[in-house]
Amino acid sequence: GNVGISDGKPNPIRWSTIVGIGGSSPISSRKLDTFGIAYFYLGLSDSFKNDARPIVSVRDERGVELFYNIGVTPWCHLTADMQVITPIQDGVKTSLVLGARMKIDF
C-alpha cells in the first residue's frame, strides 16, 4: 500500500491511499494462478472542490478492485477483473466495471 499527503495548494489532491493484498492461488492444484484485492481513496482539496463547483460538483473518489489470474499454461494467463468505483463527479452513481484480458508470453 501507500499513502500520499499534500497541502492541496496548488495540487488538487489533498491526500490519497491505496491498500491491497495479493498472492498465489489458495487452490493448491492451481500453482500458476494469482489473485489480488485493493482499495483506493482519492481525497480532493477543498480549494479544488470550490474552484470546480461552478463547472461541475466533485467529491472524493474511492473504489475497490478484485482480480483472479488463471495460469492456463506457463505462457498463457487469463485474468478476470472487477472494479467498483464511486467517481469524482458528484451525482454520478457508483459504477461496476468488469473486465477480462489474456496475456501470452513469447
Side-chain angles (χ1 to χ4, degrees):
N2 69 37
V3 174
I5 299 173
S6 81
D7 64 2
K9 299 175 186 173
N11 190 344
I13 300 168
R14 176 75 174 117
W15 68 281
S16 68
T17 187
I18 302 169
V19 179
I21 188 167
S24 299
S25 174
I27 304 168
S28 62
S29 63
R30 303 294 313 168
K31 302 286 185 202
L32 299 175
D33 294 4
T34 57
F35 74 94
I37 183 170
Y39 173 80
F40 77 91
Y41 194 97
L42 182 66
L44 300 173
S45 70
D46 289 337
S47 62
F48 178 76
K49 290 177 184 177
N50 291 335
D51 291 345
R53 188 168 289 122
I55 301 166
V56 63
S57 181
V58 294
R59 62 183 171 198
D60 296 346
E61 183 172 280
R62 62 189 175 278
V64 65
E65 179 176 8
L66 296 95
F67 78 87
Y68 194 86
N69 181 318
I70 300 166
V72 180
T73 69
W75 50 267
C76 180
H77 296 266
L78 180 62
T79 304
D81 180 78
M82 181 180 78
Q83 299 176 39
V84 180
I85 305 166
T86 301
I88 190 174
Q89 189 173 345
D90 201 13
V92 175
K93 294 181 179 180
T94 298
S95 301
L96 174 65
V97 181
L98 302 174
R101 64 184 171 270
M102 180 177 280
K103 177 184 172 204
I104 298 174
D105 295 322
F106 293 96

